[in-house]
Amino acid sequence: MDLKTAIRTIADHPKPGIMFRDITTLLGDPRAFRRAVDELVQPFAGRKIDKVAGIEARGFILGGAVAHQLSVGFVPLRKKGKLPHKTLSADYALEYGTDTIEMHVDACQAGEKVMLIDDLIATGGTALAALELLRKAGAEVVAAGFVIDLPELGGADRLRAAGVPVQTLIAFEGH
Ligand code: AMP
């Protein structure tokens, strides 16, 4: 069973030139979904992880399953304005303008070891903002896992250069 074939590619979505890597087909395939979660967890089995943090929205689905498998709590990192309690925030650059992600100020305790999860890493802008946010909260990001890497965009290497061990399961060429 090949995880790569479980992912559907939609050309020119959401705009011309982007090959959108759609994981809904993987999520809908029970063997592929379990395999992806198992492979994300496997290098960290037996290591001390206190929480999993997932990036809205696809990182919630995968991160929730990873947290359940590790028997640890889950921290949602959300788009600005969604979380009801006091938040910490981090901005990151988009192609046009900036975006902001937030987490609850009390979602992690200082010194907690956190694993960061999202479906895909491209430029790494989103993941680096998530790292900044978790570090602001005093957490130690001990691992990051992504089902898909777009290595030409360099995000996984940027995250590694920021001191985070990164695990990716499959790679696609291009953007
Ligand atoms: P980046 O911040 O550039 O690493 O982009 C990562 C975020 O954008 C992730 O939350 C992805 O879900 C989404 N993303 C970026 N590029 C793609 C793509 N080609 N297909 C699907 N999602 C993407």
Side-chain angles (χ1 to χ4, degrees):
M1 202 265 306
D2 178 14
L3 276 185
K4 205 166 183 175
T5 60
I7 290 160
R8 174 167 58 195
T9 296
I10 314 274
D12 298 320
H13 178 87
K15 57 185 184 180
I18 304 287
M19 299 292 274
F20 190 86
R21 308 301 176 177
D22 173 22
I23 64 153
T24 63
T25 42
L26 178 148
L27 297 173
D29 174 337
R31 287 177 51 211
F33 188 16
R34 169 157 290 283
R35 169 101 172 256
V37 173
D38 285 347
E39 288 191 16
L40 287 170
V41 167
Q42 194 269 328
F44 305 101
R47 298 252 303 269
K48 183 170 160 42
I49 290 181
D50 298 304
K51 292 218 168 100
V52 171
I55 300 173
E56 186 169 0
R58 283 163 274 161
F60 290 178
I61 304 163
L62 293 160
V66 168
H68 180 76
Q69 189 136 327
L70 290 171
S71 299
V72 300
F74 178 77
V75 178
L77 307 181
R78 298 212 62 181
K79 292 175 182 145
K80 190 179 172 67
K82 301 276 188 186
L83 288 166
H85 183 55
K86 277 190 194 137
T87 56
L88 297 168
S89 65
D91 298 328
Y92 58 102
L94 298 173
E95 200 173 341
Y96 304 103
T98 62
D99 215 340
T100 304
I101 54 169
E102 296 183 332
M103 67 182 275
H104 274 150
V105 68
D106 57 358
C108 288
Q109 309 302 311
E112 276 190 325
K113 295 187 190 307
V114 174
M115 180 178 189
L116 177 66
I117 297 284
D118 202 0
D119 66 327
L120 179 150
I121 186 158
T123 66
T126 315
L128 284 162
L131 175 65
E132 183 190 331
L133 200 49
L134 290 161
R135 285 181 172 167
K136 263 188 203 174
E140 188 191 340
V141 180
V142 295
F146 305 86
V147 174
I148 303 165
D149 185 17
L150 305 184
E152 285 169 41
L153 295 179
D157 286 341
R158 263 180 218 121
L159 199 54
R160 289 185 184 109
V164 180
V166 178
Q167 149 91 337
T168 64
L169 307 186
I170 54 184
F172 286 100
E173 287 177 11
H175 289 209

